[in-house]
Amino acid sequence: MSGAKGPVGVVLVSHSAAVAAAVADLARGLAGGGATAPVAPAGGLPDGGFGTSEELIVAAAGSVDRGSGVAVLADLGSAVLTVKALLAEGELPSGARLLDAPFVEGAVAAVVTASAGADLAAVEAAASEAYDYRKV
């Protein structure tokens, strides 16, 4: 084993599986042009309904963990609370962090930055800076 770590992974937690998957696709597409950091959607409930699932979030985080940290973005209230509970309980990979960022813009910034090989702190900063993107 070389000990080399991979890129920061990104998990997108939404109340909707379709929203999480679409934002993941958008972020991957906009980060194109080279290797893309691992991204996993964790949306909805296992039965396909709306909500957040600890099981899906834990599985998504495990699937993108390459040893450099996992950036987790969440859309709304209970998604945020679920991620916070998982972090407090130690259910997410070591180095996992909930980012305070807008869901879509933050996800794109996080995936682009992680794909460039940035560390978790830089990925978090890029995602958080997305709050400053003015549209008007």
Side-chain angles (χ1 to χ4, degrees):
M1 185 170 192
S2 70
K5 295 179 179 179
V8 170
V10 179
V11 174
L12 303 174
V13 180
S14 172
H15 285 69
S16 162
V19 168
V23 173
D25 287 346
L26 175 66
R28 282 189 208 101
L30 294 177
T36 303
V39 182
L45 299 174
D47 68 0
F50 292 115
T52 55
S53 162
E54 292 182 0
E55 175 185 349
L56 293 178
I57 297 167
V58 169
S63 76
V64 300
D65 183 19
R66 304 290 187 274
S68 298
V70 175
V72 183
L73 289 96
D75 63 355
L76 302 169
S78 64
V80 173
L81 296 175
T82 301
V83 173
K84 285 182 175 180
L86 290 169
L87 287 168
E89 296 164 4
E91 297 295 323
L92 297 179
S94 176
R97 189 178 302 172
L98 175 63
L99 306 188
D100 184 15
F103 192 64
V104 176
E105 293 90 340
V108 172
V111 172
V112 168
T113 305
S115 296
D119 64 14
L120 184 58
V123 170
E124 181 175 27
S128 295
E129 288 171 7
Y131 275 127
D132 296 332
Y133 300 163
R134 306 305 316 165
K135 298 175 183 168
V136 178

